[in-house]
């Protein structure tokens, strides 16, 4: 079968098994721009509609059951609807979901976070990661009295105005309509894993540099791990020049290990952000770090002339339902950390090796990046031989990646959000890894992925 | 008893009955800047810690039960933990809290919103109101190609960088550290209820005016209703000058009526934002409005050269738990709207009249502002005779207001977040109104509020 015939057959299979989703999508486009509430949740020809999520599985409205490697934007370390979390949330629901006041649950979750991450000397909760990174920037500017924020080319810190820069390939273009140049002029982008060039750029802005914010492992940009000494080089530059070093651990926190990427890579950030896992599947963002810096946002007991840095908060911050879900999750992870992390990391390793071999056996040239329970396939071409930055990902064959992920969804009931990295939860098994590798082998054999360009 | 002796006695009563809260607060300050995760949740000497919230009541860790007039930042129209919402959320919890994919629940909630507010031609969910207003601004700039945002002096649209301007009295000062002047230069503030001055200011920026964003009833600034024709005047100016008119209905949506403030005041906004009530007590923000404008953020099916306006979204957007809670709430409100709105509005009216009389009988000069189920007391003085703007609130006697609210908490077990407006839920009764009026009468008689300045 030639590639386009294979693609057409796969599309037909998807259409046939997702008829109810198709009908719902047709209704959705008259309610939501593009039929979605998050740009990346759309994929062609239309996304399936999830009805139930349990453990490692998603079930859609047509009854198809998918093994989930997207895991709620990589937030669900212990799977969907884990009984430990579910029972705690159900209990709390009857006791209040939004007190609108202080509560002990937020203190308990803070202790749980501090246990894994003692650098969280002081903590402030918000409701999304996007808010947390926005507040990190504000706090850095408040601390330093400087304006410029250095971020990584392709680094993703949410949709906030402050950091929505150089996110999508090609990175030198504006990130869409509605952002004004005056907001953009104080964001400088540096290339991941290229310390020499990064330092050169940083050097030109060091007098006005408020902070360097970086994901230790690039997540949205394509699951790219840091090369030896890159992060240390940035950290050292920041500290030497009185700028803050901010680690965005929204993806990596409590995923790489119970102590996060700062511990994994022996880093000492001034501030860091959390989200996803620490909310146990409910909305959260967390800003944490050095107590002197964090104290700048303390509104209590200031003299009238003394001005604080105003950061959220928000109506839903520290709400008892999120606190409960996060606490149940971190408690469970802590109790089982010597089982969970070796297990998910082992599955991750088997997948990275297995996928590489499956593709290479079929003559398809790929790089499979990742660390621990995170992984992603990149289709190489004559220009791109290795993936070590977001630009490399941008130049790789995204069309093949889409086809590969869609074939996994349509034909093998394995869900990757197309073009996004995969994550393993504690509910996955080594057998799942083997199934994924086997399915990949079949897809390679089907010639779907040949001759794309 | 002289006023300060009365104040000291009340403080003692609070300390005595909130010992466990006091102990928790001491621990909280070593976890959170100021011990809180939202600036306004602190009040002196320390806030009580809520353990349980049910109907119109909060119960704290010491077992004190308060009649709640804060109602989760005014979000809980049908009370805390309403059985209808609770049972729906409990059921959904076992079926998944964060699919990370599209789902039918978000469609169902969209239909429920459209039923009350047909101007919501297209909708996008975010997780907080702060995100929704930030995206509204971005979309307005995308639509108009202009930069300036006009907001109301004292208007509150969340902690986002775009709109954190002229929020706190005195309004001409910067809103704290960490906001840079270049971000602030495109926000222009206009005085609420002063159409002539507002139009004069708007006229100077009309060529670069992207939008006017306004809360129809100022909420955080002090529960101030619009005078006849003010909002219409702004709307007309916006439409005549090709700027967008954006109504921030995060507080008023589904509160003033099932159709919101746009219907109440016969307005026709281009975009509007929702939050609070539509999430049923779980985190939500919603951006809605004209389909041509909203379509600018549609990422699907664009040509490569055509750029969209990138707005969230976010990991937790349209999550099935929030969708379920919001849907259960709106369904219940719709079914009972002919009972709920007349009831809460009647209670509101009785409170506004009753408080005014209780204070006036005691010789204390106040204005009680509000509409429907929203109300707030303002202590007047020789300069301020009437409250019609945020500046008036700023010049009123805030110290007396704090004392009054604290006395209600400490002595009468009635909870207002000090200095903030009160909200009635469908769980409140006319008897509650009478109790509040009676408590106020007693406080006035105690002379606590005399001779403050």
């Amino acid at each position: 079968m030639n590639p386009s015939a294979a693609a057409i057959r796969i599309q037909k299979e998807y259409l046939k098994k997702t008829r109810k989703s198709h009908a719902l999508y047709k209704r959705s486009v008259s309610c939501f721009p593009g039929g979605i509430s998050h740009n990346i949740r759309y994929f062609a020809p239309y996304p399936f509609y999830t009805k139930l999520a349990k453990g490692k599985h998603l079930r859609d409205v047509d009854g198809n059951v998918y093994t989930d490697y997207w895991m709620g934007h990589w937030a669900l370390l212990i799977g969907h609807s884990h009984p430990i979390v579910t029972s705690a949330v159900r209990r709390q629901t009857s006791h209040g979901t939004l007190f609108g006041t202080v509560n002990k649950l937020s203190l308990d979750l803070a202790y749980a976070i501090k246990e894994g991450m003692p650098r969280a000397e002081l903590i402030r909760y918000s409701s999304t990661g996007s808010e947390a990174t926005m507040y990190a920037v504000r706090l850095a500017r408040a601390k330093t009295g400087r304006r410029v924020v250095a971020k990584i080319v392709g680094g993703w810190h949410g949709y906030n105005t402050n950091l929505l820069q150089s996110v999508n390939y090609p990175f030198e273009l504006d990130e869409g309509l509605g952002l004004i140049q005056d907001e953009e002029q104080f964001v400088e982008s540096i290339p991941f894993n290229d310390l020499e060039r990064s330092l050169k750029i940083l050097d030109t802005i060091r007098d006005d540099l408020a902070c360097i914010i970086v994901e230790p492992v690039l997540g949205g940009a394509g699951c790219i791990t840091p090369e030896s000494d890159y992060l240390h080089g940035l950290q050292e530059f920041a500290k030497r020049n009185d700028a803050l070093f901010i680690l965005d651990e929204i993806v990596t926190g409590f995923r790489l290990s119970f102590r996060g990427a700062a511990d994994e890579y022996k880093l000492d950030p001034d501030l860091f952000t959390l989200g996803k896992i620490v909310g146990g599947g409910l909305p959260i963002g967390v800003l944490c770090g050095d107590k002197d810096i964090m104290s700048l946002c303390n509104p209590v007991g200031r003299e009238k002339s003394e001005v604080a840095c105003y950061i959220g908060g928000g109506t839903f911050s520290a709400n008892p339902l999120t606190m409960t879900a996060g606490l149940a999750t971190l408690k469970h992870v802590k109790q089982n950390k010597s089982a969970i992390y070796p297990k998910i990391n082992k599955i991750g390793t088997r997948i990275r090796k297995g996928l590489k071999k499956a593709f290479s056996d079929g003559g398809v040239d790929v790089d499979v990046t990742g660390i621990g329970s995170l992984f992603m396939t990149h289709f190489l071409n004559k220009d791109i031989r290795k993936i070590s930055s977001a630009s490399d990902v941008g130049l790789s064959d995204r069309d093949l990646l889409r086809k590969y992920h869609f074939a996994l969804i349509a034909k093998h009931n394995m869900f990757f959000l197309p073009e996004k990295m995969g994550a393993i939860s504690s509910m996955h098994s080594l057998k799942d890894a083997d199934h994924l590798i086997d399915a990949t082998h079949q897809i390679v054999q089907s010639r779907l992925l040949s001759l794309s360009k």
Side-chain angles (χ1 to χ4, degrees), chain A:
Chain A
M1 204 183 315
N2 69 45
S4 74
I8 289 166
R9 212 192 55 190
I10 284 170
Q11 176 109 336
K12 272 191 184 156
E13 280 180 51
Y14 184 73
L15 291 169
K16 195 172 157 192
K17 77 179 189 180
T18 57
R19 286 190 175 148
K20 287 183 186 170
S21 284
H22 197 177
L24 284 172
Y25 184 69
K26 283 180 190 159
R27 289 168 58 199
S28 292
V29 292
S30 67
C31 282
F32 310 114
I36 35 103
S37 256
H38 192 315
N39 291 353
I40 61 176
R41 289 197 195 135
Y42 173 84
F43 56 87
Y46 53 82
F48 64 78
Y49 281 64
T50 301
K51 189 168 183 182
L52 184 87
K54 198 110 190 162
K56 64 187 173 194
H57 290 125
L58 295 178
R59 190 166 81 205
D60 70 14
V61 289
D62 290 279
N64 302 298
V65 176
Y66 305 84
T67 303
D68 187 10
Y69 291 96
W70 172 230
M71 294 311 291
H73 300 240
W74 321 307
L76 301 163
L77 181 69
I78 60 173
H80 292 277
S81 319
H82 192 290
I84 291 273
V85 180
T86 296
S87 66
V89 169
R90 286 169 62 99
R91 209 178 313 118
Q92 183 58 44
T93 298
S94 312
H95 295 170
T97 65
L98 177 60
F99 296 158
T101 65
V102 292
N103 59 77
K104 180 172 175 291
L105 293 161
S106 60
L107 199 57
D108 295 341
L109 181 59
Y111 287 126
I113 290 171
K114 281 162 168 284
E115 205 163 323
M117 303 183 169
R119 279 177 194 83
E121 293 177 349
L122 288 175
I123 286 171
R124 180 160 275 205
Y125 296 115
S126 56
S127 295
T128 68
S130 207
E131 292 181 336
T133 56
M134 175 170 70
Y135 301 144
V137 166
R138 197 174 300 164
L139 214 48
R141 286 174 169 166
K143 173 68 183 171
T144 60
R146 299 171 177 179
R147 298 175 295 181
V148 178
V149 174
K151 73 177 282 290
I152 301 296
V153 175
W156 173 246
H157 309 283
Y159 281 101
N160 69 67
T161 309
N162 292 111
L163 291 162
L164 192 65
Q165 303 294 336
S166 70
V167 171
N168 293 298
Y169 182 83
F171 304 104
E172 59 274 18
L173 295 183
D174 282 354
E175 286 301 328
L177 303 173
L179 294 164
I180 58 180
Q181 219 221 314
D182 309 73
E183 290 173 341
E184 296 167 13
Q185 63 181 312
F186 297 115
V187 178
E188 197 65 57
S189 298
I190 54 178
F192 199 63
N193 280 334
D194 187 338
L195 187 59
E196 200 186 321
R197 263 181 63 212
S198 293
L199 293 181
K200 253 186 205 158
I201 294 169
L202 289 170
D203 214 44
T204 65
I205 50 173
R206 68 179 171 195
D207 292 339
D208 202 12
L209 185 66
C211 64
I212 303 172
I213 183 167
V214 55
E215 302 159 274
V217 176
L218 295 195
C223 194
I224 304 161
T225 53
E227 282 166 16
S228 155
D229 284 341
Y230 180 70
L231 298 175
H232 277 272
L234 297 187
Q235 173 176 296
E236 201 190 298
F237 183 91
K239 307 231 173 211
R240 200 172 57 232
N241 290 283
D242 300 315
L244 301 198
F245 183 62
I246 304 175
L247 212 52
D248 182 348
E249 290 233 41
I250 290 172
V251 172
T252 52
F254 294 95
R255 174 163 288 284
L256 293 198
S257 79
F258 193 69
R259 308 180 75 83
D263 185 71
E264 180 78 23
Y265 297 114
K266 309 284 168 239
L267 295 164
D268 183 24
D270 300 295
L271 296 175
F272 61 101
T273 50
L274 297 170
K276 303 198 191 271
I277 291 172
V278 294
L282 270 72
I284 199 166
V286 191
L287 175 58
C288 346
D290 177 88
K291 65 177 185 305
D292 293 330
I293 303 169
M294 289 296 295
S295 291
L296 289 173
C297 76
N298 178 359
V300 179
R302 287 182 181 268
E303 297 297 316
K304 283 240 158 112
S305 60
E306 237 188 334
V307 184
C309 171
Y310 294 111
I311 64 174
T315 295
F316 306 104
S317 60
N319 78 75
L321 214 54
T322 294
M323 299 294 106
T324 297
L327 188 58
T329 301
L330 291 198
K331 266 188 180 166
H332 176 81
V333 172
K334 185 191 157 197
Q335 277 161 11
N336 300 280
K337 64 179 191 278
S338 58
I340 290 176
Y341 292 105
K343 179 189 168 183
I344 61 173
N345 293 348
K346 191 171 174 189
I347 299 172
T349 303
R350 182 177 296 190
I351 287 178
R352 282 186 293 272
K353 280 191 190 165
L355 292 184
K356 222 163 191 166
K357 184 170 184 315
F359 282 112
S360 130
D361 286 354
V364 181
D365 204 6
V366 303
D367 194 356
V368 183
T369 59
I371 179 173
S373 55
L374 300 170
F375 63 98
M376 182 160 163
T377 303
H378 306 270
F379 291 86
L380 305 175
N381 51 45
K382 63 183 187 330
D383 302 319
I384 292 299
R385 302 306 311 148
K386 185 176 173 295
I387 299 294
S388 61
S389 74
S391 303
D392 297 342
V393 177
L395 290 167
S396 69
D397 194 330
R398 310 283 285 186
D399 187 48
L400 275 191
L401 180 57
R402 260 191 303 275
K403 281 183 179 160
Y404 167 51
H405 279 159
F406 185 69
L408 286 173
I409 295 168
K411 216 176 149 54
H412 299 277
N413 285 12
M414 296 174 188
F415 182 59
F416 289 78
L417 192 70
E419 300 187 64
K420 295 292 166 192
M421 74 176 174
I424 301 300
S425 77
S426 64
M427 305 304 282
H428 288 82
S429 67
L430 283 168
K431 247 187 196 150
D432 292 316
D434 294 337
H435 289 155
L436 174 59
I437 294 160
D438 189 51
T440 301
H441 190 79
Q442 287 180 46
I443 292 170
V444 173
Q445 295 308 313
S446 77
R447 300 197 55 236
L448 174 76
L449 305 175
S450 326
L451 309 167
S452 151
K453 281 191 174 172

